[in-house]
C-alpha cells in the first residue's frame, strides 16, 4: 500500500494542489498496482518544523529533513486513523 498526503486549506476547504495530489495517487495506483490511501496533510509541515525545533534542529538545517519528518507525520496519521485494521486479535 502507498500513502499520499493531500493538502487542505486551514478552513478545511480544498487546497489548489489537492487535485494534483489525487491525480498523482491514481497514477501510482495504476503504475504499481497497489492500493493508495489519501491522508489530509494539513499542518504537517508546521508540525514537523515545530518537532524539529524542539529537537534542536533550526534554520537551514531543518530544510534538509523537513519533508521527511512531515512524511512521517502523514504515515502516523494514516496508522492512527486506521489503527483498528492493524490490531492483532
Amino acid at each position: 500500500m502507498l500513502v499520499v498526503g493531500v493538502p487542505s486549506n486551514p478552513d478545511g476547504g480544498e487546497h489548489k494542489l489537492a487535485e494534483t495530489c489525487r491525480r498523482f495517487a491514481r497514477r501510482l495506483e495504476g503504475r504499481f498496482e497497489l492500493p493508495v490511501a489519501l491522508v489530509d496533510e494539513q499542518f504537517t509541515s508546521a508540525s514537523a518544523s515545530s518537532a524539529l525545533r524542539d529537537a534542536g534542529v533550526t534554520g537551514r538545517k531543518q530544510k534538509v529533513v523537513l519533508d521527511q519528518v512531515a512524511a512521517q507525520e502523514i504515515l502516523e496519521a494514516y496508522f492512527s486513523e486506521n489503527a483498528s485494521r492493524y490490531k492483532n486479535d
Side-chain angles (χ1 to χ4, degrees):
M1 169 179 267
L2 304 169
V3 177
V4 174
V6 178
S8 61
N9 290 322
D11 66 1
E14 185 163 296
H15 188 276
K16 64 182 178 180
L17 294 176
E19 181 53 37
T20 301
C21 293
R22 284 193 289 275
R23 187 176 23 231
F24 176 68
R26 287 190 299 269
R27 290 178 69 194
L28 286 173
E29 188 172 34
R31 179 175 180 146
F32 296 107
E33 297 180 2
L34 291 170
V36 177
L38 300 175
V39 175
D40 182 7
E41 68 173 41
Q42 184 178 27
F43 304 123
T44 55
S45 291
S47 176
S49 180
S50 178
L52 287 167
R53 211 173 18 260
D54 291 347
V57 181
T58 59
R60 292 182 183 204
K61 292 178 183 177
Q62 276 195 9
K63 190 172 187 171
V64 179
V65 293
L66 184 63
D67 288 340
Q68 295 169 24
V69 175
Q72 179 181 347
E73 291 195 9
I74 292 168
L75 283 173
E76 288 173 354
Y78 171 79
F79 286 123
S80 178
E81 291 170 9
N82 295 281
S84 62
R85 290 184 184 180
Y86 300 102
K87 287 184 179 178
N88 292 331
D89 291 324

